[in-house]
Amino acid sequence: MKEIKIFAPATVANLSCGFDVLGCCLDIIGDQMILRKNNQRKLRILRITGQELALEAKNNVATVAIIAMLEALDSTQGFDIEIDKKIKAGSGIGSSAASSSGAVYAVNKLLGDPFTLKELIPFAMEGERLASGNAHADNVAPALMGGFSLVKSYHPLEVLALPSPPELRLVILHPLIELRTKDSRAVIKQQVQLKDAIAQWGNLAAFVSGLYTNDYKLIGRSLQDKIIEPVRSILIPYFEELKTIALENGALGFGISGSGPSVFAMCKGDTIAASVKEAMHLFYKEKGIDFDLHQSKINTQGIKIL
Ligand code: HSE
């Protein structure tokens, strides 16, 4: 294979109870990427549409991830890359993760699958390190593996795939302000109160249990965040009002998507998700804030070849 075209999906990290360790993959929002081998022994980004992003290999998350992968293979193979960015940078739904995961997935295919999907995660994480100063895996893991992912540990890296209850839906509202992950990580306190930690690990464990037993109500009750949400939510216009509206319209739970400013409402079934989406739409429109709004299933496949 000389050329490949892929769909690299958006993802929602943290999911309230799992800061830096939990994420899931969306099915309707994503970038398209074309990668082909070249004989120049160079990584060349020929074109990026949809966003203004760096084209130099050392400054783009896609090529930085590929460099890490080629180094591990001791390979000097060159690649030409075209990216059509549909996920806005700084939106909180894994824009950099889609690029870095998509890039290593495509290169892996073009090289005959030397790595498993799980083995690609550390390379994609190098893109996250470039984008945010921190190599977290909670977006790149679900982008590569689909469904829900849990980062059991970072040192050593151990990532688990979790089941996706079939009726789960996510409504994603993106207020059109840019919030860089680097900045929204800077506001987080480095110390945690024991009582908050107890609440958080109880919720994370219960959330995982809910995924395994299709217990939608338990999933909803577990979408709580005592640690990160209180400090980050003040950066998101009308966060508390949106949460109240989502829950009053039947959402199971509501929280910040990744590092924001996008927020998510998790719902059971398309009908409830549609009414939550409609209510959030009306509220934000009335406030005069520009936004994007999506309703998505859980994408259990992850990156797709087009
Ligand atoms: N877990 C990361 C954070 C995700 O919240 O900073 C960034 O998308």
Side-chain angles (χ1 to χ4, degrees):
M1 202 196 307
K2 287 219 165 71
E3 177 177 306
I4 188 169
K5 184 174 183 186
I6 56 152
F7 170 82
T11 44
V12 176
N14 301 336
L15 293 163
S16 304
C17 56
F19 177 69
D20 272 1
V21 300
L22 186 64
C24 69
C25 190
L26 301 175
D27 77 343
I28 34 98
I29 320 158
D31 299 338
Q32 290 192 7
M33 302 174 78
I34 298 173
L35 282 90
R36 69 182 77 82
K37 288 182 184 169
N38 69 37
N39 296 325
Q40 317 292 311
R41 300 185 170 206
K42 280 190 185 140
L43 295 180
R44 297 186 302 205
I45 301 178
L46 303 183
R47 191 170 58 91
I48 302 178
T49 51
Q51 293 277 288
E52 297 258 329
L53 293 169
L55 294 173
E56 308 81 47
K58 63 176 185 6
N59 293 330
N60 186 287
V61 298
T63 32
V64 162
I66 297 173
I67 290 167
M69 182 180 175
L70 294 179
E71 271 172 15
L73 288 170
D74 208 11
S75 166
T76 54
Q77 176 64 53
F79 293 91
D80 289 342
I81 303 157
E82 296 172 36
I83 308 173
D84 184 14
K85 286 296 294 176
K86 303 266 195 253
I87 313 172
K88 295 188 176 90
S91 57
I93 49 171
S95 180
S96 53
S99 295
S100 60
S101 312
V104 293
Y105 176 94
V107 165
N108 197 46
K109 284 281 165 223
L110 291 173
L111 295 179
D113 283 321
F115 295 107
T116 63
L117 289 176
K118 254 189 200 179
E119 286 169 345
L120 293 175
I121 294 171
F123 307 129
M125 286 165 68
E126 290 307 313
E128 297 292 64
R129 192 192 304 282
L130 176 70
S132 71
N134 182 274
H136 47 271
D138 49 346
N139 289 107
V140 296
L144 282 162
M145 295 163 50
F148 286 85
S149 304
L150 177 74
V151 185
K152 189 258 171 209
S153 75
Y154 275 94
H155 307 290
L157 184 68
E158 187 175 350
V159 178
L160 309 178
L162 303 173
S164 303
E167 291 183 78
L168 276 188
R169 300 291 180 267
L170 285 169
V171 177
I172 308 287
L173 182 139
H174 173 210
L176 294 182
I177 51 173
E178 190 179 337
L179 191 51
R180 294 171 60 216
T181 300
K182 221 174 237 173
D183 299 332
S184 62
R185 288 186 85 84
V187 300
I188 297 169
K189 293 183 200 138
Q190 293 303 310
Q191 265 77 41
V192 171
Q193 296 262 344
L194 182 60
K195 67 175 173 39
D196 293 336
I198 292 168
Q200 203 86 356
W201 58 57
N203 282 319
L204 179 57
F207 184 87
V208 172
S209 170
L211 293 183
Y212 273 94
T213 53
N214 288 345
D215 187 336
Y216 293 91
K217 287 194 173 146
L218 178 61
I219 289 170
R221 290 200 304 284
S222 310
L223 286 168
Q224 309 276 344
D225 180 0
K226 302 274 179 204
I227 296 169
I228 310 294
E229 187 178 292
V231 279
R232 277 186 171 169
S233 58
I234 48 181
L235 305 171
I236 300 168
Y238 301 105
F239 178 85
E240 291 302 333
E241 290 85 343
L242 282 171
K243 182 187 256 189
T244 304
I245 287 166
L247 296 177
E248 278 175 1
N249 281 275
L252 299 166
F254 179 92
I256 303 171
S257 174
S259 55
S262 288
V263 293
F264 73 89
M266 194 172 275
C267 304
K268 183 183 179 191
D270 285 317
T271 311
I272 292 175
S275 52
V276 168
K277 184 178 169 207
E278 175 68 8
M280 286 163 73
H281 177 100
L282 289 175
F283 176 75
Y284 243 44
K285 216 170 161 201
E286 187 197 311
K287 295 291 175 200
I289 301 170
D290 290 333
F291 59 96
D292 290 334
L293 191 55
H294 307 275
Q295 182 176 332
S296 176
K297 292 184 180 153
I298 306 297
N299 167 358
T300 53
Q301 187 184 341
I303 296 166
K304 289 175 203 150
I305 299 177
L306 299 173

